[in-house]
Amino acid sequence: MGLYNCATKNALCEEIMDIETVLSRAVVQVEKEEELRRLLRAGGRDGRPLRVKLGFDPSRPDLTLGHGVVLRKLRQFQDMGHQAVVIVGDWTAQLGDPSGREGARTPLTAAEVRSNAQTYLDQFFTVVDREKSEVRWQSEWFGQFTLADVFQLGYEKTVAQMLKRDDFEKRFARGSEIYISEFLYPLLQGYDSVAVHADVELGGTDQTYNLLVGRELMGARGMTPQCILTMKLIVGLDGAQKMSKSLGNYIMLTADPNDMYGKIMSLPDDAMMAYFEGLTYVPDAELRGFAAGMVDGTANPRDIKMRLAYEIVREFHDLAVAEAAQDAFRRQFQESQWPTEMPAFTLSAAMPIVSLLPAAGLAKSKSEARQLITQGGVYLRPEGSAGPTVRLTDVNAVVPAVAGAELRVGRLKFVRIVTE
RNA sequence: GGGCAGAUACCCAAGCGGCCAACGGGGACUGACUGUAAAUCAGUUGGCUUACGCCUUCGCAGGUUCGAAUCCUGCUCUGCCCA
């Protein structure tokens, strides 16, 4: 067919990708599915590539694997020859979004927004093809907006309609606060679609309402409303809530391979399938096999999870790196060996262990250090990797300044002592 | 505009004059175990202290009291009801 051209380094991609897979893999809902399928088969609209919109909020510049699902989908459209239209929500970010629960109402300055957006885009384009992307800033059009224009937008939806959006409905029912400005966000975001003439917009299921508003605003202006594709958001490491930086259950899109691999291994078993679907090219048939194997007990969830971690690292880094991460994981966690690479801490003179741990970033305070020692979570290799490992149980122990000695707290924190 | 509720540690949520560094749940951390950095079980979870204690916390600012998260006054913020 030749429609799909995998520009990624993953061979599995060539194997499975086609229009139907793009329309179904990790997808929850497609609004105007037939139309979209037809446009994809035709390779565009009126002989031009489709304009596939994805917006982002530059007040949170850090991308997680949760974003990865949507970014990969956008990339798949690009691989079929279409145009990504990336909206930088600089205007709304400068207003300050009140919807964050941590009172993240602080508006950003223009300079902060620009710098955040840059950080964001740098990560963004590790997945999305920069060459086939058009980056647009909201201020291009909202900068011209007058109060009258805002009023006009306000007449496009009623309060009752707004309250149909899931999170508004819940918060209203619960008696939580909802700010007037929050009602503006779907309208502004919808207007973005008008401004850039989007053919398709992508988003997580939490964006469904906003994407639909985009369709309405376009239709009301005599444009062909955009098609919509919403995707299953992956849950975070807690296996329950959606992955987000503020909940602390995230893996950074740019996480280093060992960290990425290990964190995926800490995922609850039943969250794995959504990750496979959204973040790898492992074929559906194989995934069904995994699921069946776990149900009838013929497959070890651990092995499947290792495959998942491997595939995801391969996807966001590459094959060789994924191999290395897998080896490192086996050594460190299955064979309980200490890692070969660890951060250095400069120690120029002997120091009590309770002072050393916080100083080296291995504990938050001396009190915590004492607790860790009492709990048996502190280990020392006075001679480095060649020598024995001792568990420190004496709160009053003093660690001498010996270069090459290694210190470990719990399973994850290590430090190698350096003298100067 | 008027009335009524509420604001507690990372989150939720008890406490309503001393027994409160503050019940309980979640999360996080440590340990044991293990098929995994999963699950399960146990412990820890403000800071300082050679643990006898000391210091700082319960929206903000004052006040009453030997003593306040708990009572009073003002302020800020949120929700509900009436207009």
mmCIF file of all heavy atoms in Angstrom, chain A residues 372-405:
data_model
loop_
_atom_site.group_PDB
_atom_site.id
_atom_site.type_symbol
_atom_site.label_atom_id
_atom_site.label_comp_id
_atom_site.label_asym_id
_atom_site.label_seq_id
_atom_site.Cartn_x
_atom_site.Cartn_y
_atom_site.Cartn_z
ATOM 1 N N LEU A 372 16.356 5.344 59.004
ATOM 2 C CA LEU A 372 16.802 4.400 57.978
ATOM 3 C C LEU A 372 17.822 3.419 58.552
ATOM 4 O O LEU A 372 17.784 2.226 58.268
ATOM 5 C CB LEU A 372 17.402 5.161 56.799
ATOM 6 C CG LEU A 372 16.381 5.925 55.951
ATOM 7 C CD1 LEU A 372 17.079 6.889 54.999
ATOM 8 C CD2 LEU A 372 15.512 4.952 55.172
ATOM 9 N N ILE A 373 18.733 3.945 59.364
ATOM 10 C CA ILE A 373 19.759 3.076 59.946
ATOM 11 C C ILE A 373 19.105 2.056 60.886
ATOM 12 O O ILE A 373 19.372 0.863 60.827
ATOM 13 C CB ILE A 373 20.801 3.913 60.715
ATOM 14 C CG1 ILE A 373 21.578 4.793 59.723
ATOM 15 C CG2 ILE A 373 21.756 3.006 61.479
ATOM 16 C CD1 ILE A 373 22.309 5.937 60.363
ATOM 17 N N THR A 374 18.216 2.558 61.732
ATOM 18 C CA THR A 374 17.521 1.672 62.665
ATOM 19 C C THR A 374 16.744 0.588 61.924
ATOM 20 O O THR A 374 16.634 -0.545 62.378
ATOM 21 C CB THR A 374 16.542 2.500 63.530
ATOM 22 O OG1 THR A 374 17.244 3.624 64.047
ATOM 23 C CG2 THR A 374 15.979 1.677 64.662
ATOM 24 N N GLN A 375 16.221 0.964 60.773
ATOM 25 C CA GLN A 375 15.414 0.005 60.010
ATOM 26 C C GLN A 375 16.273 -0.937 59.174
ATOM 27 O O GLN A 375 15.754 -1.783 58.454
ATOM 28 C CB GLN A 375 14.432 0.760 59.106
ATOM 29 C CG GLN A 375 13.362 1.471 59.882
ATOM 30 C CD GLN A 375 12.481 2.374 59.020
ATOM 31 O OE1 GLN A 375 11.299 2.448 59.198
ATOM 32 N NE2 GLN A 375 13.087 3.054 58.061
ATOM 33 N N GLY A 376 17.570 -0.749 59.232
ATOM 34 C CA GLY A 376 18.450 -1.641 58.484
ATOM 35 C C GLY A 376 18.504 -1.346 56.998
ATOM 36 O O GLY A 376 18.731 -2.244 56.196
ATOM 37 N N GLY A 377 18.305 -0.099 56.636
ATOM 38 C CA GLY A 377 18.287 0.225 55.213
ATOM 39 C C GLY A 377 19.556 0.877 54.707
ATOM 40 O O GLY A 377 19.599 1.364 53.589
ATOM 41 N N VAL A 378 20.608 0.889 55.517
ATOM 42 C CA VAL A 378 21.835 1.564 55.098
ATOM 43 C C VAL A 378 22.986 0.560 54.998
ATOM 44 O O VAL A 378 23.239 -0.193 55.938
ATOM 45 C CB VAL A 378 22.211 2.687 56.085
ATOM 46 C CG1 VAL A 378 23.491 3.382 55.649
ATOM 47 C CG2 VAL A 378 21.074 3.693 56.185
ATOM 48 N N TYR A 379 23.645 0.548 53.864
ATOM 49 C CA TYR A 379 24.718 -0.421 53.628
ATOM 50 C C TYR A 379 25.974 0.308 53.190
ATOM 51 O O TYR A 379 25.908 1.329 52.517
ATOM 52 C CB TYR A 379 24.327 -1.405 52.519
ATOM 53 C CG TYR A 379 22.969 -2.036 52.704
ATOM 54 C CD1 TYR A 379 21.813 -1.358 52.318
ATOM 55 C CD2 TYR A 379 22.844 -3.314 53.252
ATOM 56 C CE1 TYR A 379 20.564 -1.941 52.474
ATOM 57 C CE2 TYR A 379 21.595 -3.894 53.410
ATOM 58 C CZ TYR A 379 20.457 -3.203 53.022
ATOM 59 O OH TYR A 379 19.230 -3.774 53.180
ATOM 60 N N LEU A 380 27.104 -0.242 53.560
ATOM 61 C CA LEU A 380 28.382 0.371 53.187
ATOM 62 C C LEU A 380 29.322 -0.697 52.642
ATOM 63 O O LEU A 380 29.377 -1.815 53.163
ATOM 64 C CB LEU A 380 29.019 1.026 54.423
ATOM 65 C CG LEU A 380 30.410 1.655 54.244
ATOM 66 C CD1 LEU A 380 30.327 2.881 53.350
ATOM 67 C CD2 LEU A 380 31.019 2.013 55.603
ATOM 68 N N ARG A 381 30.012 -0.328 51.559
ATOM 69 C CA ARG A 381 31.091 -1.163 51.050
ATOM 70 C C ARG A 381 32.348 -0.333 51.221
ATOM 71 O O ARG A 381 32.679 0.471 50.359
ATOM 72 C CB ARG A 381 30.906 -1.429 49.562
ATOM 73 C CG ARG A 381 29.959 -2.541 49.232
ATOM 74 C CD ARG A 381 29.746 -2.465 47.745
ATOM 75 N NE ARG A 381 29.373 -3.735 47.179
ATOM 76 C CZ ARG A 381 29.194 -3.934 45.875
ATOM 77 N NH1 ARG A 381 29.362 -2.915 45.025
ATOM 78 N NH2 ARG A 381 28.867 -5.101 45.421
ATOM 79 N N PRO A 382 33.053 -0.565 52.317
ATOM 80 C CA PRO A 382 34.190 0.311 52.640
ATOM 81 C C PRO A 382 35.273 0.270 51.566
ATOM 82 O O PRO A 382 35.982 1.244 51.365
ATOM 83 C CB PRO A 382 34.709 -0.258 53.963
ATOM 84 C CG PRO A 382 33.635 -1.182 54.459
ATOM 85 C CD PRO A 382 32.864 -1.634 53.294
ATOM 86 N N GLU A 383 35.395 -0.863 50.902
ATOM 87 C CA GLU A 383 36.467 -0.983 49.898
ATOM 88 C C GLU A 383 35.927 -0.953 48.483
ATOM 89 O O GLU A 383 36.571 -1.411 47.547
ATOM 90 C CB GLU A 383 37.239 -2.290 50.124
ATOM 91 C CG GLU A 383 37.899 -2.384 51.477
ATOM 92 C CD GLU A 383 38.053 -3.836 51.923
ATOM 93 O OE1 GLU A 383 38.347 -4.679 51.065
ATOM 94 O OE2 GLU A 383 37.830 -4.114 53.119
ATOM 95 N N GLY A 384 34.700 -0.519 48.317
ATOM 96 C CA GLY A 384 34.142 -0.483 46.973
ATOM 97 C C GLY A 384 33.641 -1.844 46.546
ATOM 98 O O GLY A 384 33.438 -2.740 47.368
ATOM 99 N N SER A 385 33.486 -1.988 45.247
ATOM 100 C CA SER A 385 32.833 -3.181 44.721
ATOM 101 C C SER A 385 33.626 -4.460 44.991
ATOM 102 O O SER A 385 33.071 -5.552 44.995
ATOM 103 C CB SER A 385 32.611 -3.019 43.224
ATOM 104 O OG SER A 385 33.851 -2.790 42.596
ATOM 105 N N ALA A 386 34.931 -4.328 45.226
ATOM 106 C CA ALA A 386 35.748 -5.523 45.429
ATOM 107 C C ALA A 386 35.556 -6.128 46.816
ATOM 108 O O ALA A 386 35.692 -7.325 47.012
ATOM 109 C CB ALA A 386 37.226 -5.186 45.224
ATOM 110 N N GLY A 387 35.213 -5.277 47.788
ATOM 111 C CA GLY A 387 35.178 -5.738 49.167
ATOM 112 C C GLY A 387 33.805 -6.182 49.634
ATOM 113 O O GLY A 387 32.871 -6.280 48.854
ATOM 114 N N PRO A 388 33.719 -6.457 50.927
ATOM 115 C CA PRO A 388 32.465 -6.919 51.508
ATOM 116 C C PRO A 388 31.455 -5.774 51.692
ATOM 117 O O PRO A 388 31.816 -4.611 51.638
ATOM 118 C CB PRO A 388 32.901 -7.443 52.878
ATOM 119 C CG PRO A 388 34.103 -6.613 53.221
ATOM 120 C CD PRO A 388 34.793 -6.318 51.916
ATOM 121 N N THR A 389 30.222 -6.173 51.896
ATOM 122 C CA THR A 389 29.163 -5.209 52.176
ATOM 123 C C THR A 389 28.785 -5.321 53.634
ATOM 124 O O THR A 389 28.548 -6.422 54.130
ATOM 125 C CB THR A 389 27.921 -5.534 51.321
ATOM 126 O OG1 THR A 389 28.283 -5.490 49.951
ATOM 127 C CG2 THR A 389 26.807 -4.520 51.595
ATOM 128 N N VAL A 390 28.740 -4.205 54.328
ATOM 129 C CA VAL A 390 28.289 -4.254 55.723
ATOM 130 C C VAL A 390 27.030 -3.423 55.867
ATOM 131 O O VAL A 390 26.869 -2.395 55.229
ATOM 132 C CB VAL A 390 29.360 -3.730 56.707
ATOM 133 C CG1 VAL A 390 30.596 -4.591 56.674
ATOM 134 C CG2 VAL A 390 29.720 -2.282 56.392
ATOM 135 N N ARG A 391 26.146 -3.935 56.699
ATOM 136 C CA ARG A 391 24.925 -3.179 56.973
ATOM 137 C C ARG A 391 25.200 -2.319 58.194
ATOM 138 O O ARG A 391 25.614 -2.824 59.239
ATOM 139 C CB ARG A 391 23.789 -4.158 57.240
ATOM 140 C CG ARG A 391 22.495 -3.490 57.634
ATOM 141 C CD ARG A 391 21.417 -4.512 57.875
ATOM 142 N NE ARG A 391 20.569 -4.631 56.703
ATOM 143 C CZ ARG A 391 19.533 -5.468 56.622
ATOM 144 N NH1 ARG A 391 19.271 -6.285 57.605
ATOM 145 N NH2 ARG A 391 18.787 -5.507 55.548
ATOM 146 N N LEU A 392 25.002 -1.027 58.072
ATOM 147 C CA LEU A 392 25.243 -0.124 59.191
ATOM 148 C C LEU A 392 24.037 -0.128 60.112
ATOM 149 O O LEU A 392 22.932 0.177 59.695
ATOM 150 C CB LEU A 392 25.489 1.299 58.689
ATOM 151 C CG LEU A 392 26.764 1.514 57.882
ATOM 152 C CD1 LEU A 392 26.907 2.982 57.501
ATOM 153 C CD2 LEU A 392 27.989 1.065 58.667
ATOM 154 N N THR A 393 24.273 -0.505 61.366
ATOM 155 C CA THR A 393 23.159 -0.529 62.307
ATOM 156 C C THR A 393 23.390 0.431 63.466
ATOM 157 O O THR A 393 22.505 0.628 64.279
ATOM 158 C CB THR A 393 22.972 -1.947 62.881
ATOM 159 O OG1 THR A 393 24.229 -2.402 63.368
ATOM 160 C CG2 THR A 393 22.466 -2.900 61.817
ATOM 161 N N ASP A 394 24.580 0.997 63.526
ATOM 162 C CA ASP A 394 24.911 1.902 64.626
ATOM 163 C C ASP A 394 24.688 3.348 64.195
ATOM 164 O O ASP A 394 25.353 3.854 63.298
ATOM 165 C CB ASP A 394 26.373 1.689 65.039
ATOM 166 C CG ASP A 394 26.757 2.620 66.179
ATOM 167 O OD1 ASP A 394 25.858 3.307 66.715
ATOM 168 O OD2 ASP A 394 27.957 2.660 66.506
ATOM 169 N N VAL A 395 23.748 3.993 64.857
ATOM 170 C CA VAL A 395 23.413 5.373 64.533
ATOM 171 C C VAL A 395 24.605 6.306 64.735
ATOM 172 O O VAL A 395 24.705 7.361 64.132
ATOM 173 C CB VAL A 395 22.219 5.828 65.401
ATOM 174 C CG1 VAL A 395 21.911 7.289 65.192
ATOM 175 C CG2 VAL A 395 20.995 4.979 65.082
ATOM 176 N N ASN A 396 25.517 5.886 65.591
ATOM 177 C CA ASN A 396 26.658 6.749 65.893
ATOM 178 C C ASN A 396 27.885 6.461 65.037
ATOM 179 O O ASN A 396 28.956 7.007 65.285
ATOM 180 C CB ASN A 396 27.035 6.600 67.371
ATOM 181 C CG ASN A 396 25.876 6.987 68.266
ATOM 182 O OD1 ASN A 396 25.230 8.004 68.027
ATOM 183 N ND2 ASN A 396 25.599 6.159 69.258
ATOM 184 N N ALA A 397 27.735 5.615 64.058
ATOM 185 C CA ALA A 397 28.882 5.256 63.223
ATOM 186 C C ALA A 397 29.441 6.491 62.530
ATOM 187 O O ALA A 397 28.718 7.430 62.215
ATOM 188 C CB ALA A 397 28.462 4.226 62.177
ATOM 189 N N VAL A 398 30.764 6.454 62.324
ATOM 190 C CA VAL A 398 31.423 7.524 61.598
ATOM 191 C C VAL A 398 32.037 6.919 60.343
ATOM 192 O O VAL A 398 32.690 5.888 60.403
ATOM 193 C CB VAL A 398 32.519 8.178 62.471
ATOM 194 C CG1 VAL A 398 33.328 9.162 61.639
ATOM 195 C CG2 VAL A 398 31.887 8.877 63.662
ATOM 196 N N VAL A 399 31.767 7.551 59.211
ATOM 197 C CA VAL A 399 32.286 7.028 57.949
ATOM 198 C C VAL A 399 33.578 7.750 57.608
ATOM 199 O O VAL A 399 33.600 8.978 57.502
ATOM 200 C CB VAL A 399 31.260 7.237 56.820
ATOM 201 C CG1 VAL A 399 31.800 6.746 55.492
ATOM 202 C CG2 VAL A 399 29.952 6.539 57.171
ATOM 203 N N PRO A 400 34.677 6.999 57.444
ATOM 204 C CA PRO A 400 35.945 7.634 57.117
ATOM 205 C C PRO A 400 35.962 8.082 55.654
ATOM 206 O O PRO A 400 35.217 7.558 54.836
ATOM 207 C CB PRO A 400 36.962 6.512 57.341
ATOM 208 C CG PRO A 400 36.186 5.252 57.136
ATOM 209 C CD PRO A 400 34.784 5.536 57.561
ATOM 210 N N ALA A 401 36.778 9.071 55.386
ATOM 211 C CA ALA A 401 36.884 9.571 54.019
ATOM 212 C C ALA A 401 37.810 8.687 53.215
ATOM 213 O O ALA A 401 39.003 8.917 53.138
ATOM 214 C CB ALA A 401 37.382 11.015 54.037
ATOM 215 N N VAL A 402 37.261 7.626 52.655
ATOM 216 C CA VAL A 402 38.045 6.707 51.843
ATOM 217 C C VAL A 402 37.499 6.719 50.434
ATOM 218 O O VAL A 402 36.326 6.414 50.206
ATOM 219 C CB VAL A 402 37.961 5.268 52.407
ATOM 220 C CG1 VAL A 402 38.717 4.313 51.502
ATOM 221 C CG2 VAL A 402 38.494 5.214 53.827
ATOM 222 N N ALA A 403 38.337 7.086 49.476
ATOM 223 C CA ALA A 403 37.879 7.145 48.095
ATOM 224 C C ALA A 403 37.496 5.751 47.622
ATOM 225 O O ALA A 403 38.167 4.779 47.935
ATOM 226 C CB ALA A 403 38.969 7.721 47.202
ATOM 227 N N GLY A 404 36.390 5.678 46.910
ATOM 228 C CA GLY A 404 35.973 4.395 46.348
ATOM 229 C C GLY A 404 34.988 3.642 47.197
ATOM 230 O O GLY A 404 34.353 2.698 46.729
ATOM 231 N N ALA A 405 34.817 4.056 48.455
ATOM 232 C CA ALA A 405 33.809 3.408 49.286
ATOM 233 C C ALA A 405 32.438 3.711 48.719
ATOM 234 O O ALA A 405 32.206 4.780 48.151
ATOM 235 C CB ALA A 405 33.919 3.906 50.724
#
